[in-house]
């Protein structure tokens, strides 16, 4: 069996409900997963929840619930949100699932048996929100550099992982493999940080109960990141016969704040277990509120993706995020810009084109596709190669731009040809060109706005959307189509 294209997202902490930042990552990765399916590949797309550790334990306590009950309740919110946004997950890993817990223990034991884990004592500053230790040097005004909060002084017995053993090997690997970390600036960031000697990593906690017990010492629980990173193996059927059909992962999609864990700690863990490294990491930026204000629970300015879906529909929320913010960079959310993308591009360009074309076909040809060919000049406006190149390199904002450019060209074509003034073969040619172009657009746009494209597909009587059919003159003459309902209603 051919290996599946395996794409993963980070697994979220279920301490609060999912916000627009979490949604940005899932939608970007979903767009890529759908793109590969569109190209006819088998895909494994994984998401999940990072349910153990001190942070979850603390929030559960504050909510007055046992940790397991708390994460079960939170998991429902995440699954509801991803379903509402049409995230096409194949595997949703919750780290409190027994299968995953057993896998993490297996992994830990492998490293332990190789004598790469030893017992010692740790004394240092721990940020519960980051779930990591910081050195004095890394702190900013004695606070966590990410959350700006004071860190806990921890002094306890812990097991250490000799991560430093793999520093040289990893450095060489990252220097040689340009594709391993994308965008390139992130690869450089890691290479420069790897110039400093790696310290052994504390991989257990004696004072945290809500976690996976160590296989060699049940008085410690596993460091939550060791457990969380292993989720990528669980999703790939680790320990089962078909593991090789999924692993190595083709791309881990992660936010810039967790790059170190994925680019350094994870590869060292895999080296230690003789498991091949993932093929690549793609590091996305952050969604901030307009004016670059960070979205955070403490500022009370979290944007709930479900509320936006209710108002604009899931396709508009997806399209907005993918079109507005270059995936590898930070970008801004404002309702104004979401409304503009919805009204000006989805409703005025694509929606309007579909509505006009189907109406004219109904009026002039009883909704029957005439026998003709797509206008050559119009067909040239569709830059399939450019579109594919942009999709393959996570430049979703530009790929969507290419598709929208073509929709604009189609609307211009209607205005210039004025089919209402034409008759016979000339009018047939315009109608055929439009319907065929709509078919091509519905293929290209399907990773962005899957719900809408599926309506168009079904209206056109096409069985399945396939990338190899995103070229012209494939629409069958004689097919009777059914005009779809208005695709995007304008929001004032
Ligand atoms: N649990 C860890 C990840 C473990 S992966 C083995 C974690 N969880 S998180 O809930 O804090 O973040 C999950 C993902 O959401 C991360 O990739 C993070 O970068 C991303 N985002 C969180 N806030 C974000 C924005 N405001 N914008 C874009 N993505 C952001 O880290």
């Amino acid at each position: 069996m051919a290996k599946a294209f395996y794409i993963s997202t980070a697994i979220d902490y279920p301490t609060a409900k999912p916000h627009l930042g979490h949604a940005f990552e899932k939608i970007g990765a979903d767009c890529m997963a759908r793109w590969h399916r569109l190209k006819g590949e088998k895909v494994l797309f994984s998401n999940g929840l990072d349910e153990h550790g001190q942070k979850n334990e603390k929030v559960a306590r504050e909510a007055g619930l046992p940790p397991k009950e708390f994460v079960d309740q939170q998991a429902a919110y995440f699954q509801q949100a991803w379903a509402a946004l049409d995230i096409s997950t194949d595997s949703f890993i919750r780290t409190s699932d027994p299968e995953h817990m057993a896998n993490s223990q297996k992994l830990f034991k492998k490293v332990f048996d190789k004598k790469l884990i030893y017992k010692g004592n740790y004394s240092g500053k721990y940020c519960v929100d980051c779930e990591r230790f910081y050195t004095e040097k890394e702190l900013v005004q004695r606070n966590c550099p990410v959350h700006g909060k004071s860190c806990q002084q921890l002094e306890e017995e812990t097991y250490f992982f000799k991560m430093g053993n793999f520093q040289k090997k990893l450095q060489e690997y990252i220097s040689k493999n340009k594709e391993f970390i994308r965008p390139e600036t992130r690869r450089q960031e890691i290479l420069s940080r790897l110039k400093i000697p790696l310290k052994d990593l504390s991989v257990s906690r004696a004072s945290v109960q809500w976690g996976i017990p160590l296989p060699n010492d049940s008085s410690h629980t596993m460091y939550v990141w060791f457990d969380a990173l292993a989720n990528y193996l669980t999703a790939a059927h680790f320990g089962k016969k078909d593991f090789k059909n999924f692993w190595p992962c083709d791309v881990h999609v992660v936010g810039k704040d967790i790059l170190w864990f994925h680019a350094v700690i994870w590869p060292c863990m895999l080296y230690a277990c003789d498991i091949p490294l993932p093929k690549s990491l793609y590091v996305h930026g952050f969604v901030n509120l307009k004016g670059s204000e960070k979205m955070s629970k403490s500022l009370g300015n979290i944007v709930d993706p479900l509320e936006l879906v209710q108002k604009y529909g899931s396709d508009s929320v997806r399209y907005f995020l993918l079109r507005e913010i270059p995936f590898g960079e930070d970008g801004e959310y404002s309702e104004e810009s979401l409304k503009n993308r919805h009204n000006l591009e989805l409703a005025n360009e694509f929606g309007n084109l579909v509505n006009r074309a189907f109406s004219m076909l109904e009026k002039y040809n009883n909704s029957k596709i005439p026998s003709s060919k797509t206008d050559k000049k119009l067909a040239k406006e569709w830059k399939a190669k450019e579109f594919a190149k942009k999709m393959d390199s996570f430049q979703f904002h530009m790929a969507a731009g290419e598709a929208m450019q073509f929709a604009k060209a189609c609307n211009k074509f209607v205005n210039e040809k004025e089919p209402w003034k034409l008759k016979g073969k000339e009018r047939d040619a315009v109608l055929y060109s439009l319907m065929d172009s709509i078919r091509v657009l519905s293929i290209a746009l399907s990773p962005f706005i899957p719900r809408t494209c599926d309506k168009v597909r079904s209206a056109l009587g096409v069985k399945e959307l396939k990338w190899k059919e995103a070229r012209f003159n494939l629409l069958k003459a004689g097919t009777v189509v059914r005009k779809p309902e208005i695709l995007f209603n304008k929001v004032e």
Side-chain angles (χ1 to χ4, degrees):
M1 202 179 91
K3 188 192 160 297
F5 176 82
Y6 174 18
I7 177 166
S8 67
T9 64
I11 52 171
D12 305 310
Y13 289 124
T15 42
K17 289 185 183 174
H19 60 62
L20 203 64
H22 297 123
F24 177 64
E25 173 177 283
K26 304 317 174 260
I27 291 169
D30 182 66
C31 185
M32 189 51 102
R34 286 177 183 273
W35 167 238
H36 280 266
R37 289 194 200 103
L38 198 63
K39 290 197 289 183
E41 293 166 49
K42 189 173 161 11
V43 169
L44 169 64
F45 177 34
S46 76
N47 322 125
L49 290 176
D50 190 354
E51 299 185 342
H52 290 126
Q54 201 175 343
K55 178 166 159 147
N56 285 310
E57 195 176 52
K58 179 172 154 245
V59 179
R61 199 182 318 115
E62 285 162 7
L65 289 174
K68 178 67 177 137
E69 251 177 66
F70 174 73
V71 295
D72 283 349
Q73 163 200 298
Q74 296 297 107
Y77 296 132
F78 279 82
Q79 283 175 305
Q80 189 193 358
W82 302 155
L85 283 161
D86 295 312
I87 305 300
S88 58
T89 310
D90 298 305
S91 173
F92 193 83
I93 303 293
R94 294 184 52 193
T95 54
S96 65
D97 287 345
E99 189 192 346
H100 169 75
M101 290 175 57
N103 281 340
S104 304
Q105 287 179 324
K106 233 191 275 173
L107 210 66
F108 194 96
K109 188 168 180 312
K110 248 182 152 173
V111 188
F112 185 78
D113 288 347
K114 282 179 123 188
K115 311 230 175 324
L116 287 164
I117 286 178
Y118 64 93
K119 201 186 217 173
N121 278 295
Y122 201 99
S123 148
K125 298 281 182 194
Y126 193 82
C127 170
V128 179
D129 284 333
C130 294
E131 290 280 18
R132 62 163 286 188
F133 281 105
Y134 282 106
T135 60
E136 288 290 345
K137 247 184 162 174
E138 287 170 319
L139 299 178
V140 176
Q141 290 169 338
R142 320 204 69 190
N143 287 331
C144 159
V146 177
H147 297 93
K149 292 187 201 163
S150 69
C151 295
Q152 273 181 351
Q153 174 64 33
L154 281 182
E155 286 184 43
E156 58 181 26
E157 185 185 86
T158 187
Y159 284 88
F160 286 102
F161 167 39
K162 294 184 189 171
M163 198 161 78
N165 284 23
F166 303 102
Q167 177 153 14
K168 201 159 166 267
K169 187 171 172 182
L170 184 63
Q171 246 170 335
E172 278 173 14
Y173 186 82
I174 300 177
S175 311
K176 277 195 200 135
N177 291 279
K178 278 199 145 204
E179 294 287 299
F180 185 58
I181 306 173
R182 287 174 295 168
E184 174 62 14
T185 46
R186 300 291 174 195
R187 190 174 74 103
Q188 292 304 335
E189 183 186 318
I190 288 296
L191 281 174
S192 112
R193 286 182 67 184
L194 274 175
K195 285 182 187 145
I196 302 162
L198 280 180
K199 285 212 188 113
D200 291 350
L201 179 74
S202 158
V203 286
S204 78
R205 296 294 307 277
S207 56
V208 176
Q209 249 113 67
W210 178 235
I212 303 177
L214 294 192
N216 56 304
D217 181 348
S218 59
S219 66
H220 284 238
T221 55
M222 204 178 290
Y223 174 41
V224 64
W225 270 99
F226 199 100
D227 155 7
L229 288 161
N231 98 85
Y232 300 126
L233 294 177
T234 303
H237 301 193
F238 181 57
K240 294 189 184 147
K241 244 182 158 172
D242 56 351
F243 179 58
K244 59 180 185 314
N245 293 345
F246 305 106
W247 193 264
C249 181
D250 290 80
V251 50
H252 290 314
V253 174
V254 297
K256 60 179 184 177
D257 56 330
I258 56 170
L259 171 58
W260 180 257
F261 299 92
H262 286 82
V264 178
I265 298 179
W266 182 223
C268 290
M269 283 168 62
L270 292 168
Y271 276 149
C273 298
D274 300 313
I275 297 173
L277 301 195
K279 288 190 197 157
S280 72
L281 309 178
Y282 192 88
V283 187
H284 66 77
F286 264 45
V287 182
N288 296 317
L289 292 184
K290 202 163 181 186
S292 279
E293 195 185 346
K294 225 185 129 182
M295 232 185 283
S296 89
K297 213 171 120 188
S298 52
L299 289 170
N301 59 6
I302 295 292
V303 179
D304 179 354
L306 276 178
E307 276 175 26
L308 297 181
V309 168
Q310 270 149 22
K311 191 158 171 194
Y312 295 90
S314 63
D315 278 355
S316 292
V317 178
R318 292 173 61 102
Y319 181 79
F320 162 75
L321 287 171
L322 293 165
R323 174 85 173 102
E324 183 85 6
I325 308 174
F327 198 54
E329 293 167 31
D330 289 351
E332 284 184 347
Y333 162 79
S334 74
E335 190 164 351
E336 202 53 35
S337 42
L338 165 58
K339 206 187 292 175
N340 281 340
R341 294 286 181 192
H342 172 92
N343 285 341
L344 305 179
E345 296 187 5
L346 293 176
N348 283 5
E349 295 296 347
F350 186 56
N352 183 35
L353 170 68
V354 171
N355 191 40
R356 283 166 107 184
F358 275 82
S359 299
M360 286 190 287
L361 191 69
E362 188 174 45
K363 183 166 174 193
Y364 300 123
N365 220 31
N366 288 326
S367 292
K368 198 162 132 190
I369 304 290
S371 170
S372 190
K373 286 249 177 322
T374 294
D375 184 274
K376 284 201 174 124
K377 211 168 130 212
L378 177 66
K380 275 206 181 128
E381 298 285 332
W382 170 231
K383 313 268 188 291
K385 271 197 188 141
E386 283 305 306
F387 177 88
K389 225 162 92 186
K390 283 160 188 165
M391 289 300 282
D392 283 329
S393 57
F394 283 89
Q395 295 194 289
F396 303 128
H397 65 299
M398 291 173 91
E402 289 287 348
M404 214 31 77
Q405 232 9 72
F406 182 54
K408 267 190 191 157
C410 292
N411 278 319
K412 195 166 156 237
F413 176 77
V414 180
N415 298 344
E416 283 171 6
K417 294 282 177 186
E418 302 182 306
W420 45 91
K421 292 187 181 163
L422 303 174
K423 279 202 183 112
K425 282 204 174 332
E426 272 187 306
R427 191 170 63 200
D428 283 354
V430 175
L431 294 177
Y432 186 88
S433 301
L434 290 175
M435 299 309 289
D436 197 31
S437 300
I438 286 172
R439 185 187 55 78
V440 168
L441 273 169
S442 70
I443 297 170
L445 283 170
S446 63
F448 297 83
I449 49 170
R451 220 169 251 242
T452 305
C453 292
D454 197 56
K455 283 185 199 160
V456 177
R457 177 203 60 73
S458 143
L460 287 171
V462 171
K463 234 169 122 190
E464 197 188 341
L465 298 176
K466 296 179 184 160
W467 174 246
K468 63 174 188 219
E469 291 175 1
R471 54 198 171 85
F472 297 95
N473 299 318
L474 295 179
L475 194 57
K476 258 210 202 126
T479 312
V480 177
V481 303
R482 181 182 41 79
K483 189 179 163 201
E485 62 195 66
I486 296 287
L487 299 177
F488 297 96
N489 285 304
K490 277 181 130 181
V491 177
E492 292 314 323

